[in-house]
Amino acid sequence: SGLPIRLHHDMERMMWGKLLTNLNNPVNALAGVPLLEELNDRHYRLCLSLIHSEAMRTLCAAGIKPMQRGKVPNSLVPFVLSLPNFLFVRAASSTLKEIDPRARSSMWEDLTKGRTTEVDFINGELIKLGRRYGVLTPANDRIVELVKAAEKLG
């Protein structure tokens, strides 16, 4: 099919890196706006920054080093997300240029179509891991609650 393939020898690190990327899915689903619009709004980014910070603390406590998937090291993502808009747009300009202005997360689509989301397999996994290692995850707990409430509303 002509699609590029990249082999990863450490699938666990790669999967945890993918999970970090997917932490934006519930924020986008609840925001109800395209990804680009969401990422250009600092309020949404601050929510994502909290969720990502908890994830990094949890993974660190578990001894998991997720693979870096973007240009910014995983440990710096919460900081970059929390930057004021004028700085964030400069720091993330190459990434933002790659996002289709109409793109939304699959979780948003699930909510709009009345389907059960994958929030338990994303944020829920971090919550379980946090409990196992004694790391509090209040932002992830809350985002799961909000997505579950939205699922019930159909």
Side-chain angles (χ1 to χ4, degrees):
S1 70
L3 295 175
I5 296 175
R6 286 186 7 206
L7 297 176
H8 294 281
H9 300 289
D10 191 342
M11 285 303 293
E12 184 175 354
R13 285 188 65 225
M14 198 276 303
M15 290 187 317
W16 284 110
K18 175 66 172 158
L19 183 134
L20 289 176
T21 301
N22 287 343
L23 290 175
N24 188 46
N25 289 1
V27 177
N28 181 255
L30 294 170
V33 298
L35 288 163
L36 190 58
E37 185 177 335
E38 174 210 336
L39 289 173
N40 278 303
D41 186 319
R42 189 169 186 232
H43 296 98
Y44 294 129
R45 289 196 321 272
L46 288 172
C47 293
L48 181 55
S49 177
L50 285 172
I51 291 166
H52 200 287
S53 293
E54 288 178 5
M56 291 305 297
R57 284 194 303 276
T58 301
L59 295 175
C60 183
I64 298 169
K65 294 183 180 183
M67 190 172 288
Q68 181 177 322
R69 292 181 42 89
K71 295 175 184 174
V72 177
N74 292 325
S75 61
L76 293 179
V77 168
F79 171 75
V80 172
L81 289 169
S82 67
L83 290 171
N85 283 347
F86 75 96
L87 290 175
F88 175 77
V89 170
R90 290 181 123 176
S93 64
S94 62
T95 300
L96 294 173
K97 286 178 187 174
E98 296 174 7
I99 299 173
D100 181 324
R102 297 166 299 172
R104 296 174 186 253
S105 70
S106 59
M107 195 177 293
W108 172 83
E109 187 175 328
D110 290 339
L111 285 180
T112 61
K113 294 190 176 185
R115 298 186 300 232
T116 302
T117 69
E118 71 270 29
V119 74
D120 288 331
F121 300 104
I122 300 172
N123 306 80
E125 283 302 311
L126 286 169
I127 292 167
K128 284 191 255 180
L129 194 62
R131 286 186 184 134
R132 191 175 321 142
Y133 288 94
V135 179
L136 298 176
T137 57
N140 281 279
D141 294 338
R142 185 66 177 138
I143 202 84
V144 169
E145 289 171 13
L146 291 170
V147 170
K148 294 290 186 185
E151 285 176 350
K152 288 179 183 170
L153 291 174

